[in-house]
Amino acid sequence: MTAQAQVSPRTRNLVRTIDRAVVGLAKHWLLYANIFLFVFMSLPFLAPVLLEYGYEAPARALYSAYSLTCHQLAYRTWFFFGAQPSYTVAQLQEFLGVNNPASDVFFWRAFVGNAQLGYKMAYCERNTAIYSSVFVAAFVYARLRRRIRPLNWRWYLIVCVAPIALDGFTQLFGFRESDALLRTITGTLFGAGSVWLIFPYVQEAMQDMFEQTSRQLQRLDRTFSIDE
């Protein structure tokens, strides 16, 4: 009994469809990744814009969605349409007439801003730097990938991980308070370095998948030719 007789046309077409989808994903993975990164990186910028123009429901939906990825503390987040782009705890306490400490994370997480102070983004200053730099680095990588080798993991730990860990943990345990500049620098180093470290390996894996699946698809086309 031939292989064609053993496999139904429906199964044969399903296998072809899956293989073609895998080939397309492997060939265009970086395009899909950049589209996803652009959308994910951009939406938190949209939340304060929506509030400024009165679209509270979609803005609140964005804050809720991105709350799963970020603490959204007002004193560590960029503001749009206000007196200044960022505020310390002391400044916010003075402007709002409250004495809630920085440790009152539920209060500062829930506060999205007002007409005087402006409205905060849907993720913090550090995450803004991380995700923006990931997108920019991925965009650059898409054009230079044939010439870029993976970042050495030791340099990644020293240059990209150590600064963000030191800044974040010393702040977390109350030894000091970081500022917007340090959060931006450390976040940018971590985001761009992560792309430089990971994407070349993903590209290699996707290239192997593309070649193997393409060969498999060609074998299927030869073996299971459809009778007209």
Side-chain angles (χ1 to χ4, degrees), residues 42-206:
S42 300
L43 289 178
F45 290 84
L46 183 60
V49 177
L50 290 171
L51 282 181
E52 173 70 11
Y53 289 96
Y55 298 99
E56 184 170 346
R60 293 288 181 179
L62 287 175
Y63 287 116
S64 295
Y66 279 87
S67 69
L68 301 175
T69 69
C70 181
H71 56 67
Q72 295 180 335
L73 297 175
Y75 55 87
R76 295 178 185 171
T77 304
W78 297 113
F79 278 71
F80 291 176
F81 310 110
Q84 56 194 64
S86 64
Y87 302 91
T88 65
V89 175
Q91 288 173 328
L92 289 171
Q93 289 171 334
E94 180 181 354
F95 286 138
L96 296 176
V98 300
N99 57 6
N100 300 69
S103 58
D104 188 353
V105 294
F106 294 104
F107 176 83
W108 295 115
R109 180 183 175 94
F111 178 69
V112 297
N114 56 37
Q116 178 188 6
L117 298 176
Y119 301 99
K120 72 179 184 180
M121 290 179 59
Y123 53 28
C124 68
E125 294 158 352
R126 200 186 307 276
N127 277 356
T128 301
I130 291 173
Y131 295 123
S132 298
S133 64
V134 164
F135 170 71
V136 172
F139 186 81
V140 172
Y141 178 78
R143 282 143 185 78
L144 303 176
R145 55 180 154 177
R146 298 185 184 279
R147 290 179 260 169
I148 294 180
R149 305 299 302 169
L151 176 65
N152 183 282
W153 66 269
R154 295 179 181 84
W155 282 111
Y156 175 71
L157 292 177
I158 295 171
V159 176
C160 304
V161 176
I164 197 171
L166 182 63
D167 188 44
F169 281 114
T170 55
Q171 176 179 261
L172 177 65
F173 293 113
F175 296 114
R176 50 178 286 280
E177 179 66 20
S178 184
D179 57 34
L181 178 60
L182 277 175
R183 295 182 193 119
T184 299
I185 292 173
T186 57
T188 299
L189 289 173
F190 179 75
S194 296
V195 171
W196 190 358
L197 174 72
I198 296 171
F199 273 40
Y201 293 113
V202 177
Q203 173 62 31
E204 183 179 346
M206 288 296 181

Side-chain angles (χ1 to χ4, degrees), residues 6-22:
Q6 293 175 342
V7 179
S8 69
R10 179 178 296 181
T11 301
R12 185 187 315 152
N13 290 333
L14 177 61
V15 172
R16 279 199 180 98
T17 300
I18 293 173
D19 280 350
R20 288 186 182 121
V22 171

Side-chain angles (χ1 to χ4, degrees), residues 190-222:
F190 179 75
S194 296
V195 171
W196 190 358
L197 174 72
I198 296 171
F199 273 40
Y201 293 113
V202 177
Q203 173 62 31
E204 183 179 346
M206 288 296 181
Q207 184 62 34
D208 290 343
M209 183 187 298
F210 173 78
E211 293 173 358
Q212 293 174 15
T213 309
S214 296
R215 288 194 295 268
Q216 178 176 305
L217 188 56
Q218 291 171 1
R219 288 195 298 270
L220 286 173
D221 287 338
R222 289 195 301 267

